[in-house]
Amino acid sequence: MKFRRDAPVALITAVVLVVGILTVASNLLFGGMTTAVERSHVQLMSAIINFNLDGAAGNALARAEIIAAEPEVRAALARQDRPALLAATSGMFATQKDNYGVTQVQFHSAPATSFLRLQAPERFGDDLSSFRPIVVAVNREQTAKKGMETARSGPAIFGVAPIAAPGGTHVGSVEVGMDFGPVLDRLKAAYGLDLTLFLDEAPLRQTATAMDPTVLAEQNRVGSTIKYYSTDWDLMRTLVTSDDLRVHDEPSDYVRKAAGKPYGVIIVPLRGASGELLGAVAVTQSFAPTRGAAGRSLVLQMLFALFAMIVLAGVVLVVVSGFLLRPLRAISARFAAIGTGETVEDDEDDDRLSIEMAELAAEQKRIAALVAAKRGRGS
């Protein structure tokens, strides 16, 4: 074993191992932080969609209650005067449709018979009790309710309010339906999210008989669901598969790549006002910034680790060679000169020796002096 070779190797190996372990630990810690950030993004996406859907239902209910409180509306519905009711509300509906995303306004006779659809005045008189539980509940309990349901003209976010005749007798109800499209578009504009509404196909076909038939086209089918609306269908169709939607009665989330970029996706169940499952909303946002930051961090950590290894290895070599091996070689040469009787001059670097090396050099001088004195007496 050669100290001048093996000692630096051992020390440098120890440095490499320690720096490497610290780098790995740091990367794992940062990776955990990245995962936590992405998890918080997923939770935020879920909170945003739920909050805004509930807010849209609240807006629909507020509009329905305003309409239900109008004296002309109450009187016309009490008289079962459809032309008067249409005349009193058609202008209002046009304004709400153009400016606020209201796509459906329907009046019902108790307990659940369609009296007037402002979006389709020619269709009325059908019984809604078999597929519109929210209308049945409002007329039975005479209290306002809100939620999501599928009507004849398609799914919407509804607010339903009871209507009383001028004398106070309950005569029916009015619903205001807001389409999902404008709500999802606003979320994309405000938060940079992409969203797609998937509806279970069987109940949609059974109930929404007046809906645009192109919605049910084959290219919109994903497993047992139908894509009803999407802010970016080209992106979402690569991120959401039929397997992802196979069981969507509980929220689920995952990360998947599209066009080489990672996206966080959450599937949020969509339930009707009475709790029945209507479908799901898929929400996605690019995770490229967080994943990119993690990748850049890994590269920087590796570069810093390599730099630290090189610097520390250089320090080890300088310390071992300059503070130990070089003085030791010089002092060893002086000890060797004692046996040959050669005179060794003091080294000008002796004043820079470490305390331990200085003590060894002093001991060499003491021994050399003793040997020289004995030689002098012997001669």
Side-chain angles (χ1 to χ4, degrees), residues 131 150-151 199-209 224 277-279:
F131 62 94
T150 301
L199 297 172
D200 291 340
E201 182 177 6
L204 185 66
R205 284 184 177 275
Q206 181 180 359
T207 302
T209 55
S224 62
L277 191 63
L278 303 178

Side-chain angles (χ1 to χ4, degrees), residues 40-340:
S40 68
H41 280 332
V42 167
Q43 294 172 348
L44 180 60
M45 289 190 290
S46 178
I48 286 172
I49 185 64
N50 286 320
F51 176 80
N52 281 273
L53 288 178
D54 187 67
N59 288 336
L61 180 57
R63 298 177 195 281
E65 290 181 321
I66 291 173
I67 296 171
E70 288 292 325
E72 289 180 280
V73 170
R74 297 171 62 192
L77 187 60
R79 298 195 310 268
Q80 297 288 285
D81 189 342
R82 189 172 292 105
L85 185 58
L86 178 61
T89 56
S90 58
M92 171 276 300
F93 175 63
T95 301
Q96 296 286 318
K97 183 177 181 180
D98 292 341
N99 298 328
Y100 302 106
V102 174
T103 55
Q104 303 181 41
V105 175
Q106 182 174 192
F107 294 91
H108 321 106
S109 299
T113 300
S114 175
F115 182 75
L116 174 64
R117 292 179 173 93
L118 295 184
Q119 69 276 10
E122 70 283 358
R123 293 192 292 110
F124 57 87
D126 47 320
D127 183 10
L128 310 178
S129 58
S130 62
F131 62 94
R132 296 298 310 280
I134 191 173
V135 175
V136 175
V138 168
N139 282 279
R140 182 179 61 246
E141 301 170 15
Q142 299 179 26
T143 57
K145 295 183 181 297
K146 62 181 180 179
M148 289 155 274
E149 279 192 347
T150 301
R152 291 294 188 200
S153 53
I157 305 165
F158 290 103
V160 186
I163 298 178
T169 305
H170 177 74
V171 293
S173 58
V174 59
E175 69 178 26
V176 172
M178 303 182 71
D179 196 5
F180 284 93
V183 176
L184 302 187
D185 287 336
R186 285 196 299 270
L187 291 180
K188 179 172 183 175
Y191 300 101
L193 303 174
D194 276 301
L195 310 98
T196 298
L197 172 62
F198 295 95
L199 297 172
D200 291 340
E201 182 177 6
L204 185 66
R205 284 184 177 275
Q206 181 180 359
T207 302
T209 55
M211 183 181 64
D212 181 2
T214 60
V215 172
L216 300 171
E218 184 63 30
Q219 63 266 26
N220 292 334
R221 181 176 290 106
V222 181
S224 62
T225 66
I226 289 290
K227 181 271 293 182
Y228 183 77
Y229 188 84
S230 180
T231 59
D232 189 342
W233 183 227
D234 289 336
L235 170 65
M236 197 64 80
R237 72 199 313 169
T238 65
L239 296 175
V240 181
T241 67
S242 58
D243 288 338
D244 300 322
L245 295 169
R246 190 179 307 280
V247 179
H248 49 265
D249 56 346
E250 293 293 337
S252 61
D253 61 87
Y254 52 87
V255 177
R256 187 167 293 161
K257 284 189 175 182
K261 293 182 179 180
Y263 287 85
V265 184
I266 181 169
I267 308 295
V268 181
L270 190 67
R271 297 188 178 277
S274 57
E276 74 280 12
L277 191 63
L278 303 178
V281 179
V283 189
T284 187
Q285 190 173 45
S286 174
F287 278 2
T290 54
R291 294 294 173 95
R296 290 190 296 272
S297 173
L298 177 59
V299 172
L300 288 174
Q301 288 179 67
M302 293 178 65
L303 290 175
F304 288 148
L306 180 60
F307 177 76
M309 290 176 186
I310 293 173
V311 170
L312 291 175
V315 170
V316 167
L317 291 175
V318 169
V319 170
V320 171
S321 177
F323 289 88
L324 181 61
L325 293 180
R326 182 179 176 279
L328 192 59
R329 282 196 298 270
I331 294 172
S332 297
R334 296 179 193 179
F335 273 106
I338 295 174
T340 61

